[in-house]
């Protein structure tokens, strides 16, 4: 798959991660159609696909017909260079937190720079899994009342879809990265790092591995990486992991 | 009824004019509760009031319990000084036409000036009657796609409720990192990384060292690091640099 968005891609991709109710998927399709956001991806919908309730609520939205279903989050995000996670509560993640307006302004800059941008929405009950937030570059939080914070999934989609379409077409002074690495390339880096750290006994006690990896991934995901930087950093890991051992052996 | 808003009234009143489906009324109550907009008025709902479908969709929103039902638009708007009509299509009315953002900004000024402001939403099929638009001071139009313009009623309520709350001048857009590492701490990390990479023979040819380090530092500097992340990453470097060598020695 090409790593550069084709010039026709002018909008962010909205990605529903393990949504439960077909009604909400359909309502999301309808409001995305209202605000001319064509591309919806659905990760592992609870009730399968196609879904008659989604079709009813979509009221013939063209978005429903074009929606793509993926088995995993990794597949659904593989060609994206930048991800935003929508969450109601902060999760003690070290990430920039944006309003809808701020995020959409930033996304506009990324897209104009040729990136493919995904916006992740979690399941109705549980929201996004921590793994999805970890790989995201930034968080979008809507200013909900703490005492009554449970926003309907399609409503969250609608609010961000409107914010996208309503956004100022004039971009801010944001210069996006060129040749930005895709999520798939980043996952390769993270896996490489985890394997080498694991071999070197970094993860202790072992049950802390996911949390420690989450903290490390946050460092990279926050700023984003170019494809060249991914290659460079994999070189760093490789060199550090074998270098000392090699040096010792050579000296012996 | 007093013509002046009591000082406690800090939000616009949302008024649904002859809504048809209880589900939409309930979903409107839910999203108004999410964005802390307490006051909903309902003019002559088709299926009467209370409405069990509205209760289900409201998910215990406090807005539902406080909602007031009126027989006519005149009664529902009697105490308001300013009215905004939400419409998808222009109706050849000589009225100011606002975006959601522009309208909410203007409404904030009216409310700070002590006014009671109503925002009118029409029925699902037909929208607002011309009489309602006529008595309104201005129109709010959302930027829907002309080819697929029929926005769900509760979605229109949700978009404007979010816009109202998001326009709150208090919250900043961007939540900065806490415990952000100082440049000195970052320099310590960079020096540590450079030393270990140098020992492992990473910099080749040696005159390229400054440029290669610059490229690596960019990765970290872009997103910024917390103090904890600096400590974590120094642990990564240390572990990778000695881990493999140590493991080899132990295995020997």
């Amino acid at each position: 798959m090409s790593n550069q968005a084709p010039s026709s891609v002018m909008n962010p991709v909205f990605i529903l991660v393990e949504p439960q109710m077909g009604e909400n998927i359909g309502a999301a399709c309808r409001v995305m159609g209202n605000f001319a956001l064509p591309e919806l991806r659905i990760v592992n919908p609870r009730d399968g696909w196609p879904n008659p309730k989604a079709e009813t609520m979509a009221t013939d939205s063209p978005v429903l017909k074009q929606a793509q279903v993926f088995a995993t989050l990794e597949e659904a995000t593989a060609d994206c260079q930048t991800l935003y996670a929508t969450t109601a509560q902060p999760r003690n993640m070290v990430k920039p937190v944006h309003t809808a307006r701020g995020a959409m302004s930033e996304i506009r800059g990324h897209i104009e720079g040729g990136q493919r941008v995904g916006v992740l929405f979690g399941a109705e009950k549980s929201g996004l899994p921590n793994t999805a937030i970890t790989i995201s570059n930034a968080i979008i939080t809507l200013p909900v009342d703490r005492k009554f914070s449970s926003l309907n999934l399609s409503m969250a989609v609608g609010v961000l879809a409107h914010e996208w379409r309503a956004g100022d077409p004039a971009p801010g002074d944001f210069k996006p990265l060129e040749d930005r690495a895709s999520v798939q390339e980043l996952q390769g880096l993270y896996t490489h790092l985890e394997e080498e750290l694991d071999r070197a006994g970094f993860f202790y006690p072992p049950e802390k591995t996911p949390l420690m990896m989450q903290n490390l991934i946050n460092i990279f995901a926050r700023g984003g990486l170019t494809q060249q930087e991914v290659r460079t950093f994999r070189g760093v890991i490789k060199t550090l992991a074998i270098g000392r051992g090699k040096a010792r052996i050579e000296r012996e």
Side-chain angles (χ1 to χ4, degrees), chain A:
Chain A
M1 198 177 278
S2 165
N3 195 38
Q4 285 305 306
S7 62
S8 66
V9 177
M10 298 300 289
N11 298 290
V13 180
F14 279 15
I15 303 170
L16 307 186
V17 182
E18 306 204 345
Q20 301 175 291
M21 298 179 66
E23 291 89 336
N24 287 333
I25 304 172
C29 290
R30 177 171 170 183
V31 75
M32 287 178 69
N34 293 147
F35 293 118
L37 267 163
E39 195 168 352
L40 177 68
R41 298 179 183 180
I42 310 168
V43 177
N44 190 27
R46 184 190 65 185
D47 298 335
W49 197 259
N51 181 318
K53 286 176 180 168
E55 282 167 24
T56 301
M57 291 297 282
T59 62
D60 288 321
S61 169
V63 178
L64 182 92
K65 298 172 195 78
Q66 295 167 27
Q68 289 178 283
V69 176
F70 295 82
T72 66
L73 178 65
E74 286 64 33
E75 293 167 85
T77 58
D79 63 334
C80 296
Q81 284 89 25
T82 306
L83 295 178
Y84 289 79
T86 57
T87 69
Q89 297 92 2
R91 307 269 191 100
N92 294 322
M93 293 267 184
V94 183
K95 301 271 184 203
V97 177
H98 293 286
T99 62
R101 191 181 305 174
M104 291 302 141
S105 168
E106 196 176 87
I107 289 172
R108 206 168 294 279
H110 289 315
I111 288 178
E112 281 166 7
Q115 289 188 43
R116 203 158 177 78
V117 178
V119 180
L120 307 179
F121 298 84
E124 287 86 342
K125 286 230 170 110
S126 48
L128 281 171
N130 273 346
T131 50
I133 302 176
T134 300
I135 63 165
S136 294
N137 301 72
I139 286 170
I140 306 174
T141 296
L142 300 177
V144 290
D145 186 351
R146 288 289 172 93
K147 298 188 296 296
F148 191 72
S149 64
S150 173
L151 194 67
N152 171 270
L153 169 57
S154 69
M155 201 61 85
V157 170
V159 163
L160 290 189
H162 167 259
E163 204 63 44
W164 170 252
R165 190 52 60 207
D168 188 346
D173 58 350
F174 185 83
K175 184 170 172 288
L177 294 182
E178 289 170 12
D179 298 320
R180 188 153 185 153
S182 69
V183 173
Q184 192 169 44
E185 289 162 325
L186 291 170
Q187 288 289 1
L189 168 66
Y190 304 153
T191 303
H192 185 183
L193 180 61
E194 181 171 356
E195 284 171 359
E196 288 298 348
L197 286 173
D198 191 39
R199 268 187 228 185
F202 184 73
F203 301 112
Y204 186 82
E207 56 268 29
K208 275 203 172 173
T209 304
L211 182 62
M212 293 171 84
M213 277 309 296
Q214 173 184 301
N215 292 340
L216 287 172
I217 291 170
N218 270 334
I219 297 175
F220 295 105
R222 197 158 55 230
L225 294 172
T226 65
Q227 296 174 316
Q228 179 56 52
E229 287 171 342
V230 168
R231 287 192 291 271
T232 301
F233 216 84
R234 293 189 70 153
V236 165
I237 297 167
K238 195 173 160 192
T239 304
L240 286 179
I242 66 168
R244 265 274 183 104
K246 184 163 165 264
R248 283 179 189 212
I249 289 162
E250 283 173 353
R251 272 198 299 273
E252 279 162 8

